[in-house]
Amino acid sequence: GLQALYKYQQDSGGWGVWDTSSSTPYLTAYVLHTLNEAKKAGYTVDDNVMKRGREFLKNYIYNHPLAVSKPAINATFGLPYGVMDQKYEANVRAYALYVLAESGFGDIGLTNNLYDFREELNLFAKAQLVMTYHLLANGKYMMPVAAAKDVSGVMSPVLMKTPPKLFDLGTPVAPAAKD
């Protein structure tokens, strides 16, 4: 299993759909997430492979800023580059930043930059953004409650030592009555 993942890592440090495919940030984040989970489970994982994958993700993020004007045509699909491309890039970036933070190599500057594009994020990416802030703070919530609610409208991690309420819909739940 791990040897196959190592074999398909591209010269760029990332992974693509096939061994001859160009690397993509989503698949690279997915493989890094898998390798990190394997490492946490006690498997021996090649640190150089993970380092090259992390470098690919960071280079991709630095070289594909969200706030720049887009070319007229998307080279991949031959369609006008527009809103869907911006949303896709923001959502992939949320996952990539979460995976980097989970493996101990998060970046608060890049995470704060993504926060500026929170309106582009789907629910999963919003959750990943909140979890990334949590990881960057070493278990202390550094994202203000108001900002966390602003990110998703439903998630509200708190600044105290209590665990995050990822799906807090604002309805308090009373403890069950004791007989």
Side-chain angles (χ1 to χ4, degrees):
L2 290 175
Q3 294 303 319
L5 292 176
Y6 299 161
K7 176 182 173 186
Y8 293 121
Q9 188 174 31
Q10 305 294 320
D11 291 339
S12 65
W15 283 266
V17 176
W18 308 108
D19 60 339
T20 58
S21 300
S22 297
S23 298
T24 70
Y26 179 80
L27 285 175
T28 300
Y30 190 82
V31 172
L32 279 176
H33 193 184
T34 301
L35 292 174
N36 192 52
E37 290 300 312
K39 189 173 190 174
K40 289 190 313 191
Y43 291 92
T44 302
V45 176
D46 187 332
D47 288 330
N48 189 49
V49 169
M50 291 187 70
K51 178 182 177 191
R52 291 180 56 229
R54 288 190 303 266
E55 288 172 356
F56 171 83
L57 285 180
K58 283 208 170 184
N59 286 335
Y60 182 87
I61 291 169
Y62 285 127
N63 291 317
H64 294 85
L66 293 173
V68 298
S69 60
K70 302 288 185 186
I73 300 295
N74 178 315
T76 304
F77 300 108
L79 300 170
Y81 211 107
V83 173
M84 292 308 294
D85 298 304
Q86 182 83 353
K87 287 181 181 292
Y88 172 79
E89 290 289 335
N91 285 287
V92 168
R93 183 167 302 197
Y95 183 49
L97 290 171
Y98 169 71
V99 170
L100 289 169
E102 178 73 19
S103 64
F105 293 88
D107 186 308
I108 190 67
L110 292 174
T111 304
N112 285 339
N113 177 260
L114 180 61
Y115 176 80
D116 293 340
F117 292 88
R118 61 196 174 277
E119 297 300 321
E120 305 293 328
L121 302 176
N122 64 32
L123 184 61
F124 291 107
K126 290 173 182 178
Q128 290 160 347
L129 179 60
V130 172
M131 292 186 300
T132 300
Y133 275 113
H134 172 69
L135 290 166
L136 290 171
N138 294 319
K140 298 175 192 143
Y141 292 99
M142 59 192 251
M143 187 177 197
V145 173
K149 285 184 178 180
D150 183 44
V151 168
S152 69
V154 295
M155 291 177 279
S156 60
V158 294
L159 296 169
M160 309 295 181
K161 294 181 180 179
T162 57
K165 298 175 184 175
L166 292 181
F167 298 101
D168 178 6
L169 299 177
T171 306
V173 177
K178 294 183 181 179
D179 293 324

